[in-house]
Amino acid sequence: MTVAEPRRGIRVVLVDDQALFRAGIRMLVDSQPDLEIVGEAADGREALTVVRATRPDVVLMDVRMPVMDGLAATAELLRDADPPRVVMLTTFDLDEAAARAIRGGASGFLLKDADPEFLLAAIRTVHTGSAVIAASATRELFAHFADAAPRPVPPTYGALTEREREIFALAARGLSNSEIAAREFLSEATVKTHISRILAKLALRDRVQLVVFAFEHGLA
């Protein structure tokens, strides 16, 4: 278990059982003035201790680890008050475990061989909560592992205005704010406002959860 002295910026905890992989990610993240690795753990059980001690903004969580896997650790962390945003790390494009973690509240997933710049951008993206990591990949993941029978659409969906439903449908397809703005002839700021209202009405944490909601209720 490693815990760093705090400094300003987006605080990240890295959880992975491969020390060499952790060392590489630490060097990459700590090279950025606005990002900082504040803790590391080699398994899910250790991760619970480190995350609760350091209270990071974002956790990069490996799916498969000894002692406690990333799925179980994520589920426990997301039950805490004001939990961090959790991004699953996986070696598989279509990973059922990653899909289950996202369904349970994780904010997305990254492939371990992702480009360094993509990983850095993903941390910043998740921290803002205003966009989706690899939205198209998240959508593809759920399309592959979608339940055969969708759940009934909850009454909260009926509270969306017609415009909000249009934007919901586009966001569920993985379109970014700029892409939705261009398609709907709106400003990006207006789209962002609509997305915030949609998330609030549906009690969703972020746009990854919006994609999950759409698939679970047959709205994708």
Side-chain angles (χ1 to χ4, degrees):
M1 179 174 69
T2 307
V3 177
E5 290 298 319
R7 77 178 188 208
R8 301 178 68 178
I10 299 173
R11 297 161 55 80
V12 181
V13 162
L14 174 61
V15 185
D16 192 282
D17 60 334
Q18 298 179 2
L20 191 59
F21 179 80
R22 294 200 311 272
I25 298 301
R26 173 182 277 280
M27 289 179 62
L28 174 67
V29 172
D30 281 345
S31 72
Q32 306 297 301
D34 62 328
L35 304 178
E36 176 189 15
I37 296 286
V38 296
E40 297 179 27
D43 61 67
R45 179 63 62 191
E46 189 179 28
L48 299 180
T49 301
V50 173
V51 169
R52 288 163 178 165
T54 59
R55 299 190 63 78
D57 302 301
V58 177
V59 177
L60 302 179
M61 179 81 74
D62 190 16
V63 171
R64 290 167 179 79
M65 294 178 292
V67 185
M68 174 185 280
D69 65 22
L71 209 60
T74 296
E76 283 210 29
L77 287 176
L78 292 177
R79 285 195 288 267
D80 289 352
D82 192 24
R85 296 191 178 272
V86 180
V87 179
M88 309 308 296
L89 300 174
T90 176
T91 54
F92 305 107
D93 253 326
L94 296 174
D95 189 330
E96 187 172 9
R100 295 206 313 274
I102 295 168
R103 185 180 284 115
S107 293
F109 76 100
L110 285 171
L111 295 177
K112 284 191 170 185
D113 62 356
D115 289 341
E117 289 305 316
F118 183 78
L119 184 145
L120 296 171
I123 294 171
R124 297 181 179 107
T125 294
V126 162
H127 180 246
T128 67
S130 63
V132 176
I133 296 180
S136 58
T138 300
R139 180 181 168 83
E140 181 182 0
L141 186 69
F142 274 89
H144 191 78
F145 293 113
D147 295 332
R151 302 178 185 178
V153 178
T156 51
Y157 182 75
L160 300 185
T161 66
E162 183 176 349
R163 171 63 90 181
E164 287 168 348
R165 291 191 189 197
E166 291 173 0
I167 292 175
F168 172 93
L170 295 173
R173 289 169 52 189
L175 273 66
S176 67
N177 284 357
S178 60
E179 290 168 332
I180 294 173
R183 187 174 291 233
E184 295 293 301
F185 303 102
L186 299 169
S187 70
E188 284 192 50
T190 299
V191 172
K192 185 175 180 180
T193 297
H194 279 303
I195 292 291
S196 296
R197 288 175 180 164
I198 291 167
L199 295 178
K201 288 182 179 181
L202 300 179
L204 302 173
R205 287 185 65 196
D206 54 35
R207 289 177 59 161
V208 171
Q209 292 301 300
L210 186 152
V211 173
V212 175
F213 181 96
F215 270 100
E216 288 188 331
H217 298 99
L219 299 169

